[in-house]
Amino acid sequence: MRISLGTRVTLGVLTTVILAVVYVPLLVVLVNSFSTSSSLTWPPPGFTLEWWGRAFRSDGALEAVGTSALVALISSALALILGTMLSFALQRFSFFGRNTVNLLVILPIALPGIITGIALNNLFRTILGVPLSIWTVIIAHTTFCIVTVFNNAVARLRRMGTSLEEASADLGAGIWTTFRLVTFPQLRSALLTGGLLAFALSFDEIVVTTFTAGSGVRTLPMFIIDNVARPNQAPIVSVIAVVLVVVSIVPIALAQKLSGSNSAGEVVRAARRGGAARNMNRHWRHRLSR
C-alpha cells in the first residue's frame, strides 16, 4: 500500500508531537537534576553535580532503592514460577472452566491499581488479620507480575506447538528430559522477557504498594512522593527519578530485544530441529513396521 505525501507528513507531525509530549518532560527532569537551583526554576541558572552526590549519600534514598529492588526480585521470581505453571496448565490441557480461569489470571493487570490495592488491603487486614509488611507488598506485586510472565509464556507455547515434544517422546525421552532439552530452550527467552517486564513493573509500582505496605516499608516511588514537595529535596528527587527511568528502561529494552530478533531465531532453529526430529521419527516408524 502506497501512502501519499500529505498523509506521510501528517503522520510524521502527529508522531513528533506525541513523542515530544511524552519525552520532553523527562528531559526537563534530567536537566533539573543538574540544576544549581534548589527550587527547580526554569531555565536552570547553572549546572552542578552536587545533587547527584547528595542523592547517593542519602540513607533514605538508598534504603528505598534496596527495598524496591528486593520486592521486585522476589515478586518476579514468584511470578516466573507461578506464571509458567499456569501457562502450561491453561495451554496444554483442556478442562471445565478453563476460559474462566484464564480470565481470572489476566484480570489483575486490567483492574485499576486502586481497586487491587483496596481489595488486597481488606484481604490482609480484615479477612486474614495479617499485619502489613514487606511480604504483603511482595504478594501484592506478584498478583499482577504473574500476568506478564503468563502472557509471554502462553504466546510462545502457542507458537511452539507440540510436535517436537511428541517426537522426543516417541524416540524414548522422558518427561523431564523432553522439557530440559526440547521445551525449555524454546521457552527460555519468553520467560526471561516476562521476568524482566515483571521486574520493571514491580520496581516502580506505587498505587498497590501504598495500600499494602506497612509503616516501616518505603519503596523508591513512595520515597519520591514523600519528598517531592519538601524544601531543598526537589533536585534530589529529580536525580532519583532519572535513576528510576534508567532502571525501568533497561529491562524493557532487553525484553524487547529478546522477544524480537532472538526469539525469531529460536523459532527458526526449533522448526529445523522439529523437521529433523519428525523425519527421524517417520524413518524409525517405517523400519519398525516392516
Side-chain angles (χ1 to χ4, degrees):
M1 182 177 64
R2 304 184 67 177
I3 303 177
S4 64
L5 178 60
T7 303
R8 289 200 299 268
V9 171
T10 303
L11 291 175
V13 171
L14 289 174
T15 302
T16 303
V17 171
I18 293 172
L19 292 176
V21 170
V22 174
Y23 290 104
V24 167
L26 294 179
L27 292 176
V28 172
V29 172
L30 174 62
V31 174
N32 279 333
S33 68
F34 297 98
S35 175
T36 55
S37 172
S38 61
S39 57
L40 300 184
T41 57
W42 189 265
F47 297 96
T48 179
L49 293 175
E50 176 185 359
W51 307 117
W52 283 81
R54 289 192 183 184
F56 284 98
R57 291 193 302 269
S58 172
D59 293 335
L62 294 177
E63 182 181 355
V65 171
T67 301
S68 289
L70 178 63
V71 170
L73 285 172
I74 299 178
S75 300
S76 301
L78 292 174
L80 276 171
I81 297 172
L82 298 175
T84 304
M85 295 171 64
L86 284 169
S87 64
F88 273 96
L90 294 175
Q91 179 60 29
R92 294 293 174 83
F93 300 95
S94 297
F95 53 89
F96 176 77
R98 184 176 68 169
N99 292 334
T100 302
V101 175
N102 188 83
L103 175 62
L104 293 176
V105 172
I106 299 176
L107 191 59
I109 202 70
L111 289 175
I114 191 169
I115 302 299
T116 303
I118 292 173
L120 290 172
N121 182 279
N122 288 333
L123 172 67
F124 294 134
R125 301 183 64 182
T126 306
I127 300 176
L128 299 178
V130 177
L132 299 181
S133 63
I134 190 172
W135 289 107
T136 57
V137 177
I138 291 172
I139 294 172
H141 284 205
T142 303
T143 59
F144 56 80
C145 287
I146 287 176
V147 183
T148 61
V149 177
F150 173 78
N151 285 337
N152 279 276
V154 164
R156 180 60 57 83
L157 288 173
R158 288 172 180 168
R159 292 167 59 184
M160 285 167 47
T162 59
S163 59
L164 290 178
E165 296 167 353
E166 291 170 356
S168 175
D170 288 344
L171 294 173
I175 294 176
W176 293 111
T177 301
T178 298
F179 178 81
R180 181 170 58 89
L181 299 178
V182 178
T183 306
F184 181 72
Q186 298 178 78
L187 196 61
R188 180 172 48 209
S189 63
L191 295 180
L192 184 56
T193 299
L196 290 171
L197 290 175
F199 180 90
L201 190 64
S202 173
F203 193 84
D204 61 1
E205 166 59 37
I206 178 63
V207 179
V208 175
T209 307
T210 303
F211 284 93
T212 56
S215 58
V217 178
R218 186 163 63 165
T219 61
L220 189 57
M222 296 176 69
F223 177 85
I224 293 175
I225 294 296
D226 291 342
N227 289 274
V228 68
R230 292 182 179 179
N232 299 325
Q233 287 292 99
I236 296 178
V237 170
S238 294
V239 173
I240 297 172
V242 172
V243 174
L244 188 60
V245 169
V246 173
V247 171
S248 300
I249 287 176
V250 170
I252 292 174
L254 289 174
Q256 184 179 22
K257 181 178 177 60
L258 289 171
S259 63
S261 58
N262 288 354
S263 62
E266 284 191 5
V267 170
V268 172
R269 290 191 294 271
R272 291 174 178 172
R273 291 196 302 268
R278 285 192 296 271
N279 290 335
M280 184 182 297
N281 189 25
R282 285 196 294 267
H283 169 72
W284 282 107
R285 281 181 176 176
H286 176 69
R287 292 195 61 180
L288 290 173
S289 63
R290 294 175 59 182

